Amino acid sequence: ERLDAEGIELADGQTAELCLAIDAWVADATVAAVVIIGVGLFLIRPSESTNYAMLNLSISTANRAEGAPPPSVKLESGVPGVEVNLAIPEQARGAKDYRVRLVSGDGSEHDLKIEKRDEQTVTVRIPASDIPPGNYAIQMSRVNPDGTSPRISGNYFFNVE
């Protein structure tokens, strides 16, 4: 018989079994620690940015060539797009709903999904993939209770650098 490191009396066979049990426990604990650390790093890693570039626009009844130059936005790498707050003109407020359309400088058009709205503002998000550098206009239509949707006079102009 022998004494182990803590002075407990063990037979030679028991020492080997104890060492194997400790080795198995250490291996299990190591695997568990690696899994926990890996999951933790995955959960706290920086994800793709949800920070959109922001624009606050008012409608302009002038054409693009007249008046002050429209605001510009530069989309840095990793920015998912532009969140645009469109001020609803007073005469167009109180509609049942609104429709919003993006018009690019080359004349192509597509509808935009309204993310939120209140009495004075409609907010849309435009993915970066939909707005390469260039000139853009947003057009808004008012949806009436009878289903008609007349366009509100004017455009919301902006540029993407």
Side-chain angles (χ1 to χ4, degrees):
E1 294 192 31
R2 305 178 19 195
L3 295 178
D4 72 354
E6 294 184 12
I8 300 172
E9 202 170 296
L10 299 171
D12 283 337
Q14 288 176 323
T15 304
E17 288 174 20
L18 181 61
C19 286
L20 287 175
I22 290 172
D23 286 346
W25 182 86
V26 168
D28 289 345
T30 302
V31 168
V34 167
V35 168
I36 290 169
I37 290 170
V39 169
L41 289 175
F42 177 78
L43 292 176
I44 64 170
R45 73 171 167 42
S47 60
E48 185 173 315
S49 174
T50 56
N51 293 327
Y52 283 76
M54 299 291 297
L55 278 175
N56 295 310
L57 301 177
S58 295
I59 202 158
S60 171
T61 54
N63 68 36
R64 183 177 286 278
E66 299 171 354
S72 291
V73 64
K74 184 172 180 156
L75 296 177
E76 301 293 337
S77 176
V79 173
V82 179
E83 184 171 287
V84 186
N85 296 309
L86 305 167
I88 302 169
E90 277 192 51
Q91 70 276 15
R93 293 183 183 159
K96 173 184 163 199
D97 204 357
Y98 296 92
R99 289 198 179 117
V100 181
R101 191 163 196 70
L102 177 68
V103 181
S104 67
D106 66 7
S108 62
E109 302 180 13
H110 72 275
D111 291 329
L112 298 174
K113 179 182 174 223
I114 295 174
E115 297 293 327
K116 59 186 171 187
R117 72 171 259 223
D118 60 31
E119 188 61 31
Q120 298 178 3
T121 309
V122 168
T123 301
V124 295
R125 285 185 175 169
I126 309 169
S129 59
D130 289 354
I131 48 173
N135 303 321
Y136 295 90
I138 295 176
Q139 299 172 342
M140 188 183 303
S141 297
R142 173 187 170 111
V143 178
N144 293 324
D146 64 1
T148 59
S149 52
R151 187 163 165 255
I152 298 168
S153 180
N155 293 289
Y156 300 86
F157 294 114
F158 70 100
N159 298 324
V160 176
E161 295 178 8

